[in-house]
Amino acid sequence: KFTVISENQTPTKVLSWLNQYYGELVPIITTYDGVTNEFTGDSLMAFFGILPTALNPSESALQACNSAVSIINTVNQINRDRLKRGEPPLVTGIGVNTGIVAAGGMGTADRMHYAVIGDVVNITQRLESLTREIGETSALLSQSTFDALDSHRENFKFISMGNHVFKGKTEPINVYRLLPRDHLKQT
């Protein structure tokens, strides 16, 4: 929601807030062995289970979901602090999807970027966009991540959000909202 916040702030102030925000989130991703791949304005992309070594889907899904829950908790704390300072809260949307991607250098000989490409990435972006309908910091995951978690599902709480047909897809995808297991105690 930096677009709304940006309307009433100087670009320098927004840049400062973004750097503080990323300064909190990137270490969480790293803690769970994720790789922060790119920053695009007020969003970032991270992946799990590819580098430094490939992991099975169950382990990478667990890492991604643990990271998402930690990010939600951290953003909620950031917002409590921001409100005390009279600053607007930040709403963060997280999409989590599991599947096969192509990973490697992309670009030209003089400008390369490590990228993950594939339908899995596209669906992840659609999941993140869907979080805007929730209106608060939240994480949504796909059926493929839910399935990949397998026995690790007991670490989390899920709310079914039903089937959604995303742009560019013909088949609906079952979506779940991801919450910490102790979410009811936190609210």
Side-chain angles (χ1 to χ4, degrees):
K1 299 271 181 169
F2 273 93
T3 304
V4 174
I5 293 171
S6 297
E7 184 177 22
N8 298 315
Q9 299 297 326
T10 66
T12 305
K13 177 56 99 175
V14 173
L15 180 63
S16 173
W17 285 346
L18 281 170
N19 285 330
Q20 291 169 3
Y21 174 74
Y22 290 141
E24 295 285 334
L25 302 191
V26 171
I28 293 169
I29 293 164
T30 303
T31 295
Y32 292 102
D33 295 327
V35 175
T36 302
N37 183 244
E38 61 185 66
F39 299 95
T40 307
D42 65 349
S43 67
L44 68 81
M45 185 169 95
F47 56 82
F48 297 82
I50 298 172
L51 293 174
T53 58
L55 297 175
N56 69 53
S58 180
E59 291 303 312
S60 64
L62 176 62
Q63 289 174 328
C65 289
N66 278 330
S67 180
V69 167
S70 285
I71 287 171
I72 291 168
N73 291 335
T74 298
V75 170
N76 288 338
Q77 181 58 55
I78 288 169
N79 284 335
R80 286 189 286 276
D81 295 341
R82 288 179 62 80
L83 290 172
K84 287 178 189 173
R85 294 189 302 265
E87 297 170 347
L90 308 175
V91 177
T92 300
I94 303 166
V96 182
N97 194 18
T98 303
I100 297 171
V101 297
M106 182 175 73
T108 63
D110 63 335
R111 185 164 172 104
M112 293 294 281
H113 173 73
Y114 191 84
V116 290
I117 303 294
D119 192 47
V120 170
V121 177
N122 297 335
I123 292 169
T124 306
Q125 291 171 325
R126 303 294 189 261
L127 288 165
E128 182 275 328
S129 292
L130 186 60
T131 64
R132 291 180 182 103
E133 293 181 16
I134 296 172
E136 65 183 12
T137 294
S138 56
L140 295 177
L141 56 90
S142 65
Q143 184 70 48
S144 63
T145 300
F146 185 83
D147 292 343
L149 282 168
D150 194 30
S151 65
H152 298 299
R153 284 193 293 261
E154 66 190 25
N155 297 328
F156 307 100
K157 178 176 170 52
F158 302 95
I159 298 172
S160 176
M161 303 297 285
N163 286 321
H164 292 267
V165 178
F166 295 115
K167 179 181 174 184
K169 302 298 295 175
T170 55
E171 294 295 318
I173 296 172
N174 200 20
V175 175
Y176 297 87
R177 183 170 178 186
L178 171 66
L179 300 164
R181 189 161 172 70
D182 61 350
H183 177 73
L184 296 176
K185 297 176 191 172
Q186 294 178 5
T187 55

Short mmCIF file of all heavy atoms in Angstrom, two decimals, residues 6 8 13 19-20 22 36 38 48-49 57 76 80 86 97 102 108-109 135 147 162-164 172-173 178:
data_model
loop_
_atom_site.label_atom_id
_atom_site.label_comp_id
_atom_site.label_asym_id
_atom_site.label_seq_id
_atom_site.Cartn_x
_atom_site.Cartn_y
_atom_site.Cartn_z
N SER A 6 2.41 7.07 -0.63
CA SER A 6 3.30 7.93 -1.42
C SER A 6 2.63 9.23 -1.85
O SER A 6 3.30 10.24 -2.04
CB SER A 6 3.77 7.20 -2.68
OG SER A 6 4.52 6.07 -2.33
N ASN A 8 0.95 11.35 -0.27
CA ASN A 8 1.06 12.46 0.68
C ASN A 8 2.44 12.60 1.29
O ASN A 8 2.60 13.32 2.28
CB ASN A 8 0.03 12.28 1.80
CG ASN A 8 -1.39 12.29 1.27
OD1 ASN A 8 -1.74 13.13 0.44
ND2 ASN A 8 -2.20 11.34 1.70
N LYS A 13 11.10 10.44 1.78
CA LYS A 13 10.50 9.82 2.97
C LYS A 13 10.05 8.39 2.64
O LYS A 13 10.29 7.46 3.40
CB LYS A 13 9.32 10.66 3.47
CG LYS A 13 8.59 10.06 4.65
CD LYS A 13 9.49 9.79 5.83
CE LYS A 13 9.39 10.88 6.84
NZ LYS A 13 10.19 10.56 8.04
N ASN A 19 13.34 1.33 2.76
CA ASN A 19 14.61 0.75 3.19
C ASN A 19 14.52 0.21 4.62
O ASN A 19 15.07 -0.86 4.92
CB ASN A 19 15.74 1.76 3.04
CG ASN A 19 16.16 1.92 1.59
OD1 ASN A 19 16.06 0.99 0.80
ND2 ASN A 19 16.63 3.10 1.24
N GLN A 20 13.82 0.91 5.49
CA GLN A 20 13.62 0.40 6.86
C GLN A 20 12.80 -0.90 6.82
O GLN A 20 13.12 -1.87 7.51
CB GLN A 20 12.90 1.44 7.72
CG GLN A 20 13.74 2.65 8.03
CD GLN A 20 12.91 3.77 8.64
OE1 GLN A 20 11.71 3.64 8.89
NE2 GLN A 20 13.56 4.91 8.87
N TYR A 22 12.37 -3.07 4.25
CA TYR A 22 13.17 -4.16 3.72
C TYR A 22 14.26 -4.60 4.69
O TYR A 22 14.61 -5.78 4.75
CB TYR A 22 13.80 -3.78 2.38
CG TYR A 22 12.80 -3.67 1.25
CD1 TYR A 22 12.93 -2.67 0.29
CD2 TYR A 22 11.75 -4.56 1.12
CE1 TYR A 22 12.03 -2.56 -0.76
CE2 TYR A 22 10.85 -4.46 0.08
CZ TYR A 22 10.99 -3.47 -0.86
OH TYR A 22 10.10 -3.37 -1.89
N THR A 36 16.32 -13.45 -1.33
CA THR A 36 15.61 -12.28 -1.83
C THR A 36 16.17 -12.00 -3.21
O THR A 36 17.34 -11.68 -3.36
CB THR A 36 15.82 -11.08 -0.88
OG1 THR A 36 15.36 -11.45 0.42
CG2 THR A 36 15.04 -9.87 -1.38
N GLU A 38 14.66 -9.96 -5.90
CA GLU A 38 14.56 -8.64 -6.52
C GLU A 38 13.64 -7.74 -5.72
O GLU A 38 12.74 -8.19 -5.02
CB GLU A 38 14.07 -8.72 -7.96
CG GLU A 38 12.70 -9.32 -8.14
CD GLU A 38 12.33 -9.48 -9.61
OE1 GLU A 38 12.96 -10.29 -10.30
OE2 GLU A 38 11.39 -8.79 -10.04
N PHE A 48 12.58 -20.08 -2.23
CA PHE A 48 13.06 -21.03 -1.23
C PHE A 48 13.29 -22.37 -1.91
O PHE A 48 12.57 -22.74 -2.83
CB PHE A 48 12.02 -21.20 -0.11
CG PHE A 48 11.77 -19.93 0.65
CD1 PHE A 48 10.90 -18.97 0.16
CD2 PHE A 48 12.41 -19.69 1.85
CE1 PHE A 48 10.67 -17.80 0.84
CE2 PHE A 48 12.18 -18.52 2.55
CZ PHE A 48 11.31 -17.57 2.04
N GLY A 49 14.30 -23.08 -1.44
CA GLY A 49 14.52 -24.44 -1.91
C GLY A 49 15.26 -24.58 -3.23
O GLY A 49 15.29 -25.66 -3.80
N PRO A 57 9.98 -30.36 -2.11
CA PRO A 57 8.89 -29.38 -1.99
C PRO A 57 8.37 -29.20 -0.56
O PRO A 57 8.00 -28.10 -0.17
CB PRO A 57 7.81 -29.93 -2.91
CG PRO A 57 8.55 -30.73 -3.92
CD PRO A 57 9.71 -31.34 -3.17
N ASN A 76 3.17 -6.49 11.62
CA ASN A 76 2.22 -6.05 12.64
C ASN A 76 2.92 -5.25 13.75
O ASN A 76 2.39 -4.24 14.22
CB ASN A 76 1.45 -7.24 13.21
CG ASN A 76 0.46 -7.80 12.21
OD1 ASN A 76 0.03 -7.12 11.29
ND2 ASN A 76 0.09 -9.06 12.38
N ARG A 80 2.48 -1.22 14.74
CA ARG A 80 2.22 -0.70 16.08
C ARG A 80 3.17 0.46 16.36
O ARG A 80 2.76 1.51 16.88
CB ARG A 80 2.36 -1.80 17.13
CG ARG A 80 1.19 -2.78 17.13
CD ARG A 80 1.21 -3.74 18.31
NE ARG A 80 2.22 -4.77 18.19
CZ ARG A 80 2.07 -5.92 17.53
NH1 ARG A 80 0.94 -6.19 16.90
NH2 ARG A 80 3.04 -6.80 17.49
N GLY A 86 2.69 8.28 14.66
CA GLY A 86 1.77 9.02 13.82
C GLY A 86 1.95 8.75 12.34
O GLY A 86 1.49 9.54 11.51
N ASN A 97 3.61 -20.10 -3.38
CA ASN A 97 3.25 -21.15 -4.31
C ASN A 97 4.44 -22.10 -4.43
O ASN A 97 5.59 -21.70 -4.24
CB ASN A 97 2.90 -20.55 -5.67
CG ASN A 97 2.22 -21.52 -6.59
OD1 ASN A 97 1.70 -22.55 -6.17
ND2 ASN A 97 2.22 -21.20 -7.87
N ALA A 102 12.19 -22.59 -13.78
CA ALA A 102 13.52 -22.52 -14.39
C ALA A 102 14.25 -21.42 -13.63
O ALA A 102 13.70 -20.35 -13.38
CB ALA A 102 13.42 -22.18 -15.87
N THR A 108 21.48 -9.98 -20.67
CA THR A 108 22.44 -9.89 -21.77
C THR A 108 23.83 -10.11 -21.23
O THR A 108 24.05 -10.16 -20.03
CB THR A 108 22.36 -8.50 -22.44
OG1 THR A 108 22.74 -7.51 -21.48
CG2 THR A 108 20.96 -8.21 -22.95
N ALA A 109 24.80 -10.20 -22.13
CA ALA A 109 26.18 -10.46 -21.72
C ALA A 109 26.71 -9.41 -20.74
O ALA A 109 27.49 -9.72 -19.86
CB ALA A 109 27.08 -10.53 -22.95
N GLY A 135 -7.41 -6.80 2.83
CA GLY A 135 -7.34 -5.47 3.42
C GLY A 135 -6.44 -5.32 4.62
O GLY A 135 -6.41 -4.27 5.25
N ASP A 147 -0.56 -28.82 -0.21
CA ASP A 147 -0.25 -30.24 -0.37
C ASP A 147 1.20 -30.54 -0.04
O ASP A 147 1.50 -31.54 0.62
CB ASP A 147 -0.56 -30.71 -1.79
CG ASP A 147 -2.05 -30.70 -2.10
OD1 ASP A 147 -2.88 -30.65 -1.17
OD2 ASP A 147 -2.38 -30.73 -3.31
N GLY A 162 -11.45 -20.68 -0.91
CA GLY A 162 -12.17 -21.19 -2.07
C GLY A 162 -11.33 -21.23 -3.33
O GLY A 162 -10.13 -20.96 -3.31
N ASN A 163 -11.99 -21.56 -4.42
CA ASN A 163 -11.33 -21.63 -5.72
C ASN A 163 -11.33 -20.26 -6.39
O ASN A 163 -12.31 -19.52 -6.28
CB ASN A 163 -12.05 -22.63 -6.64
CG ASN A 163 -11.78 -24.05 -6.24
OD1 ASN A 163 -10.67 -24.40 -5.86
ND2 ASN A 163 -12.79 -24.89 -6.34
N HIS A 164 -10.22 -19.96 -7.06
CA HIS A 164 -10.08 -18.70 -7.79
C HIS A 164 -9.50 -19.01 -9.17
O HIS A 164 -8.60 -19.82 -9.30
CB HIS A 164 -9.14 -17.74 -7.05
CG HIS A 164 -9.71 -17.26 -5.76
ND1 HIS A 164 -10.43 -16.10 -5.65
CD2 HIS A 164 -9.69 -17.81 -4.52
CE1 HIS A 164 -10.82 -15.94 -4.41
NE2 HIS A 164 -10.39 -16.97 -3.70
N PRO A 172 -9.49 -23.37 -12.07
CA PRO A 172 -9.44 -22.68 -10.77
C PRO A 172 -8.36 -23.28 -9.87
O PRO A 172 -8.01 -24.46 -10.00
CB PRO A 172 -10.83 -22.90 -10.19
CG PRO A 172 -11.39 -24.07 -10.91
CD PRO A 172 -10.71 -24.14 -12.24
N ILE A 173 -7.87 -22.45 -8.98
CA ILE A 173 -6.85 -22.86 -8.01
C ILE A 173 -7.42 -22.65 -6.62
O ILE A 173 -7.94 -21.57 -6.31
CB ILE A 173 -5.55 -22.05 -8.19
CG1 ILE A 173 -4.95 -22.36 -9.57
CG2 ILE A 173 -4.56 -22.33 -7.07
CD1 ILE A 173 -3.78 -21.49 -9.94
N LEU A 178 -2.99 -18.23 5.15
CA LEU A 178 -2.03 -18.81 6.09
C LEU A 178 -1.97 -17.95 7.34
O LEU A 178 -1.79 -16.73 7.26
CB LEU A 178 -0.64 -18.87 5.43
CG LEU A 178 0.53 -19.26 6.31
CD1 LEU A 178 0.41 -20.70 6.78
CD2 LEU A 178 1.84 -19.05 5.56
#
